Structure formats: structure tokens, C-alpha cells
Amino acid sequence: MNSCREIIVSPQKGPSYPVVVGVGLWARAVATIPPGRVCLIADRTVFDLYGPSLVGALERTGRAPVKVTFPAGERSKTRRTKVGIEDRMLAEGLGRDTVVLALGGGVTSDLAGFVAATYMRGVPYVNMPTSLLAMVDATVGGKTAVDTAAGKNLVGAFHQPSMVFVDLASLATLPREETWCGLAEMVKHAVVADAGYLSFLKQKAAALWRGEPDICCEAVCRSIEIKAAVVSQDTTEQGVRRVLNFGHTVAHALEQQAGWRLSHGKAVAAGMAVEAEVAFLLGLLAADDRDVLLGVLREVGIWHVPTFPDPDRLVHVMSWDKKAFGGKIRMALPEAVGRMCSGNGEWSVEVAPDLVLTALRRVWGV
């Protein structure tokens, strides 16, 4: 695959920006990023893989970047790491003409984007995702955040990137666990908006696991199109954007209870199974559609039954999720494959703790 595809994201607030998908995009990225001093932010694993070539490309244009790295993993997505990055930027004398370049997966995108949102009261940033999860989800839409002891992504800001460059070549170095994470979000997008896409993912699962470029490009672009369409309607998650949280109320509680050692993909896959059961128990989702989703999770190869210490504690954590209102658990729930429940325009549904526990026991046998 040699050609590039471009998808435009048009937020309600702020300018539109392109998401460019292709292979070998570093040169184009370097030539088109906004003017100013460049701060390259990446975790150490990703920097070792891609940093030297990107730094070299920048230096050849006369834009030697300030390089800031941090330990890989969700446990680095904290306020403490953010402060360390900002202190380094200040020590380097970076000003309001700074451009943040976020190179890496979802953790880097969330963290570097949050830095960009607050540094000097906001500077532009460019996303260069290297994981499947970041390509299809984290780097599009402007959600930036860090985790806290109380829960995931509880401190953050909406700050749209200036542009996104999705280089599919980086999928060749992706660990299996990271492929799992991306596939889970792709299944979520299909359930939210496109039943045909869900069938495609089921049929092409083996090719996606192998990283076949043309199949991956088609799937990545479709997921980005779905997210872009939703985000363009509701930039700051006051309504329809909440549908993208399907599976995530349970997932975020699982991640927090596991001390951030459970991958986001496994948590989301498990969360979708439980929340589909919740939708069925509430009479929103037909048994056939529920079974289709559970079947796809198995056939795509991302079915997961997690272990956790206490179901009651898990449900309690859900009441602290950022999607909760007044301590009440709320979930984005499907009413069919490809269509979400509007919830009288709120695009989420209040769910009683006892019903969540029932769904947990039915799906996971706990």
C-alpha cells in the first residue's frame, strides 16, 4: 500500500484538522507540522524504536527538537509525570511558539495532549500514533487526561490536535497485547455505528492480527471515520459523543482495580460483554444482538474474563467514573448492533448497582 488517505475531523469548537493514514509518513509530517520549536514527547520504548529517525528528519530541516521521554505504560500517565515533562520544557526555555509532537500510543497521546493543553495556557500539538489503539481512538477527538488513584482519566482537558499522522508501518513492531487493544476499540466503533463494519472485523480478524497493510488501512480508516463523525457533532461530550464510552464504565473500573496492570483492550472487551448484558437485562437490546456481539468478541479473538478481588468494590468504583452523575452509574448502551440508545437525548442510561452485579455474574460467572 503506497497511497495516503486523509480524513477531516471538524469539531464544533476550533478548526478542522486532517488525519493522514498511510505508510512512511515521517517526511510528510516533518514538512507540514506547525512552525515553532518542537518538543518531542514519547515513552522510552517507542523513542528507541522511532525517535532517532524522526529526530534526524527534524534536524535536517533545521528544527532540532527538545526530547522528553518517560517510562512506558499506563502507570506513567499521572500528574507527577506531567509535571516532570513541563519542568523539563520550562528548563529548556520553550515558549508559546512550542509545538508538542506526541509520538507513541494512547498513554503518550493523552499525556502529551494534556501538557499541550495547559503549557503556556495552550500550545499546538501533533499526534503521531504508533499503536493500533492510538490510531483508531486515542489520537482523534481531543480528549487528553491523566489517571489518579480515584480512577482513570479524571483530570484532563479537551484540546484538539493540529494534525494526526497515522503511519501503518509501525504496526509491524506491535506486540500482540497492543493489537488486542486496538481491535477492542474497533469492535466498539462497529457496535456504536456500523453493523457492516462489525461483520468486516469478524471476517478479516486473522488478517488484522497479521497486520496486513491493506486490511489494516481499511479498518483503521473506518474507525477514524466513525469517531470523526461523532466528535464533529459533539466535541466536549455533552451528548452524542457519550456513545463512544460503550464498554468503558466497566473497563475503567477494571483497570483501576488491577492497578493499571490490565491492558485497556482486555478491559474494554470485558466491559462490552457486561454492558451488552446490562442492555439486554434493561430490555434495550435483543438477545440475538447481544449474542452476535459476544460471538464476535470470541471470533475476533478478544474475549476476556478478568479476575478482580471484589465485584461489589468494582461496582462502587463505577459510581466514581467521570461518566457518573450524582454517584449514579451511567452507561452508554446499544439498542441494536450499529445503533446506540439515545436515553432521551442524554446518550447514556442510569443503571442500578444490583443490575450491574447481575450482569457481571451472568457474563463472567462470578
Side-chain angles (χ1 to χ4, degrees), residues 80-93 119:
R80 181 176 180 178
T81 304
K82 181 174 182 284
V83 168
I85 293 171
E86 291 163 340
D87 285 349
R88 172 71 188 286
M89 294 170 70
L90 291 167
E92 293 285 347
Y119 191 76

Side-chain angles (χ1 to χ4, degrees), residues 21 26 37 77 97 129 135 148-149 174 187 189 227 229 257 295 358:
V21 183
W26 298 137
R37 294 187 66 188
K77 203 175 86 172
D97 63 340
M135 290 175 183
T148 73
L174 206 63
V187 169
H189 292 144
K227 184 161 187 183
Q257 285 294 283
T358 298

Side-chain angles (χ1 to χ4, degrees), residues 98-179:
T98 301
V99 179
V100 169
L101 199 56
L103 175 69
V107 169
T108 299
S109 174
D110 284 0
L111 182 59
F114 192 19
V115 168
T118 59
Y119 191 76
M120 299 289 173
R121 296 197 176 106
V123 297
Y125 79 110
V126 175
N127 272 325
M128 300 178 71
T130 59
S131 74
L132 188 58
L133 170 62
M135 290 175 183
V136 302
D137 193 63
T139 57
V140 176
K143 275 189 177 181
T144 71
V146 294
D147 303 331
T148 73
K152 186 178 172 75
N153 295 333
L154 294 184
V155 178
F158 288 98
H159 189 56
Q160 302 292 337
S162 297
M163 52 189 64
V164 181
F165 292 93
V166 176
D167 193 336
L168 297 171
S170 63
L171 295 179
T173 62
L174 206 63
R176 185 174 179 83
E177 190 80 8
E178 291 300 322
T179 300

Side-chain angles (χ1 to χ4, degrees), residues 88-306:
R88 172 71 188 286
M89 294 170 70
L90 291 167
E92 293 285 347
L94 293 174
R96 297 194 70 181
D97 63 340
T98 301
V99 179
V100 169
L101 199 56
L103 175 69
V107 169
T108 299
S109 174
D110 284 0
L111 182 59
F114 192 19
V115 168
T118 59
Y119 191 76
M120 299 289 173
R121 296 197 176 106
V123 297
Y125 79 110
V126 175
N127 272 325
M128 300 178 71
T130 59
S131 74
L132 188 58
L133 170 62
M135 290 175 183
V136 302
D137 193 63
T139 57
V140 176
K143 275 189 177 181
T144 71
V146 294
D147 303 331
T148 73
K152 186 178 172 75
N153 295 333
L154 294 184
V155 178
F158 288 98
H159 189 56
Q160 302 292 337
S162 297
M163 52 189 64
V164 181
F165 292 93
V166 176
D167 193 336
L168 297 171
S170 63
L171 295 179
T173 62
L174 206 63
R176 185 174 179 83
E177 190 80 8
E178 291 300 322
T179 300
W180 189 311
C181 292
L183 286 172
E185 291 290 348
M186 293 156 92
V187 169
K188 179 200 77 177
H189 292 144
V191 174
V192 164
D194 189 347
Y197 180 37
L198 190 66
S199 297
F200 173 86
L201 294 174
K202 176 182 174 181
Q203 294 166 7
K204 303 297 184 180
L208 291 166
W209 279 108
R210 290 192 299 269
E212 293 185 12
D214 289 338
I215 300 300
C216 287
C217 181
E218 189 170 348
V220 166
C221 287
R222 184 60 189 131
S223 273
I224 292 171
E225 287 169 349
I226 289 170
K227 184 161 187 183
V230 174
V231 168
S232 295
Q233 296 177 65
D234 176 18
T235 306
T236 57
E237 201 172 288
Q238 301 302 304
V240 70
R241 184 169 178 167
R242 292 171 182 157
V243 301
L244 297 173
N245 291 320
F246 172 55
H248 284 57
T249 300
V250 173
H252 287 173
L254 281 170
E255 290 176 276
Q256 193 257 17
Q257 285 294 283
W260 316 115
R261 288 183 294 272
L262 178 67
S263 77
H264 185 64
K266 287 185 175 179
V268 169
M272 287 190 289
V274 172
E275 294 185 24
E277 185 68 22
V278 168
F280 168 72
L281 292 172
L282 287 172
L284 298 173
L285 185 68
D288 286 349
D289 279 344
R290 176 203 58 187
D291 294 344
V292 165
L293 171 57
L294 299 184
V296 169
L297 292 175
R298 290 186 173 93
E299 292 176 47
V300 171
I302 58 172
W303 177 259
H304 180 65
V305 178

